[in-house]
Amino acid sequence: MGIIRKTKSVELLLDIFSQNSNALSVVNLVKKTKNQMNKTTVYRILERMESEGVVHSFNDINGNKWYAKCHSCSSDNHLDSHPHFQCKDCGAIECLSVEIAIPKVPNFQIDSAEIMLVGTCRNCSIV
Amino acid sequence: MGIIRKTKSVELLLDIFSQNSNALSVVNLVKKTKNQMNKTTVYRILERMESEGVVHSFNDINGNKWYAKCHSCSSDNHLDSHPHFQCKDCGAIECLSVEIAIPKVPNFQIDSAEIMLVGTCRNCSIV
DNA sequence: TTTGGTACTGCAACATAGTTGCATTAGATT
DNA sequence: AATCTAATGCAACTATGTTGCAGTACCAAA
């Protein structure tokens, strides 16, 4: 697919992902990098990174886009069917390494599943 | 919670839901009713209907909000944990009546699950 | 190490979904 | 009919995400 050049912006984003085990919202990434690059660039790099299989994307319960490092994505298959967990208190999202079988439903041809589990994360449940 | 008055607008929306077994996107509802009411009103009535347990809401794979009639919601519990199915061709969404157990994940306190199954619906797979 | 093609970026303007404040209207209750 | 207040319309706003285009910088080839 697209060739990805190792620009400053690409490297900064890769850096941020390597330092974060949790998923990151685009809004957050745009904010984090606003002194280094334009938001359009953030959106475009993330798109390229996804099509390269470096990250995968999904929407949170508020409809905002998030990205997370891929562990088992390829450029052909971004469909880890792993679930995501969002804390309803702090909003943080993490990928769960549990593999969940895509539910079979009679008469439906299902290709993939987006599973968002909602609850309270460890940090927030302490308080 | 809120008192719901039987206004023209409320009745129109209830009507639309009674005529549709599928879920409806807010965008679509705003379009459908643009001669009868303001979009702000649509958003507000849907909110009230949800808190009354008449409908439930969720986001589609593009992050847009949808509503569907409740079958087993109460005003206390909108958490049918039924999955939704979105056709990636035509975009239509339907509620699946299958009850899916909320997956248990060790060390996570999970309250609810949003499950969106993506595939091709019957109409679209004919073509 | 310079050159040149083109991938990439920044900017500004736009598109769309959803929200808010406030003045006015219209259900319901008496 | 009078009245209380939920509900509505409107306009202006916020936020997320997108597009076109001109200019920049990566990288490979000479």
Side-chain angles (χ1 to χ4, degrees):
Chain A
M1 280 260 157
I3 288 154
I4 291 207
R5 290 185 178 170
K6 282 283 162 58
T7 63
K8 297 250 161 69
S9 300
V10 169
E11 278 174 353
L12 176 54
L13 282 173
L14 287 172
D15 243 51
I16 292 173
F17 276 103
S18 76
Q19 285 162 26
N20 279 275
S21 53
N22 277 9
L24 295 158
S25 71
V26 179
V27 173
N28 185 3
L29 286 168
V30 168
K31 216 171 281 170
K32 262 190 166 64
T33 61
K34 70 165 175 294
N35 295 321
Q36 286 77 39
M37 71 186 94
N38 189 272
K39 72 172 172 174
T40 309
T41 305
V42 177
Y43 279 97
R44 294 200 268 224
I45 291 177
L46 290 170
E47 236 168 51
R48 270 181 274 148
M49 282 167 64
E50 182 167 30
S51 75
E52 293 294 310
V54 179
V55 295
H56 61 280
S57 73
F58 54 92
N59 294 292
D60 71 4
I61 49 176
N62 306 118
N64 293 340
K65 201 160 194 180
W66 290 62
Y67 282 87
K69 267 180 293 189
C70 275
H71 295 292
S72 55
C73 303
S74 69
S75 46
D76 301 322
N77 169 29
H78 314 193
L79 306 171
D80 280 271
S81 62
H82 69 258
H84 296 102
F85 173 87
Q86 182 160 30
C87 176
K88 64 186 176 195
D89 291 0
C90 68
I93 297 186
E94 49 189 303
C95 296
L96 301 180
S97 48
V98 191
E99 264 293 319
I100 285 195
I102 293 179
K104 303 257 182 227
V105 183
N107 305 318
F108 282 84
Q109 185 203 314
I110 294 167
D111 301 327
S112 63
E114 294 276 329
I115 299 175
M116 181 66 78
L117 305 176
V118 181
T120 310
C121 74
R122 274 159 297 218
N123 282 341
C124 291
S125 60
I126 295 169
V127 186
Chain B
M1 275 265 156
I3 287 153
I4 290 207
R5 290 187 180 169
K6 282 283 162 59
T7 64
K8 296 247 161 71
S9 300
V10 169
E11 278 174 353
L12 176 54
L13 281 173
L14 286 172
D15 244 48
I16 292 173
F17 276 103
S18 75
Q19 285 162 27
N20 280 274
S21 54
N22 276 8
L24 295 157
S25 71
V26 178
V27 172
N28 184 5
L29 286 167
V30 168
K31 216 172 280 171
K32 262 190 165 63
T33 60
K34 70 165 176 293
N35 295 320
Q36 285 78 38
M37 72 186 94
N38 189 274
K39 73 172 172 173
T40 309
T41 306
V42 178
Y43 279 97
R44 293 199 269 224
I45 290 177
L46 291 170
E47 236 169 49
R48 270 180 274 147
M49 282 168 65
E50 182 166 29
S51 74
E52 293 295 310
V54 179
V55 294
H56 61 280
S57 72
F58 54 92
N59 293 292
D60 72 3
I61 49 175
N62 306 118
N64 292 340
K65 201 161 195 177
W66 290 62
Y67 282 88
K69 268 180 291 189
C70 275
H71 295 292
S72 54
C73 304
S74 69
S75 46
D76 301 322
N77 169 26
H78 315 194
L79 306 170
D80 282 272
S81 61
H82 68 259
H84 296 103
F85 173 87
Q86 182 160 31
C87 175
K88 64 185 176 194
D89 290 1
C90 67
I93 297 186
E94 48 189 303
C95 296
L96 300 180
S97 49
V98 191
E99 265 291 319
I100 286 196
I102 293 179
K104 304 256 181 226
V105 183
N107 305 317
F108 282 83
Q109 185 203 314
I110 294 167
D111 301 326
S112 63
E114 296 274 331
I115 299 176
M116 180 67 77
L117 305 177
V118 181
T120 310
C121 74
R122 275 159 297 220
N123 282 341
C124 291
S125 61
I126 294 168
V127 187

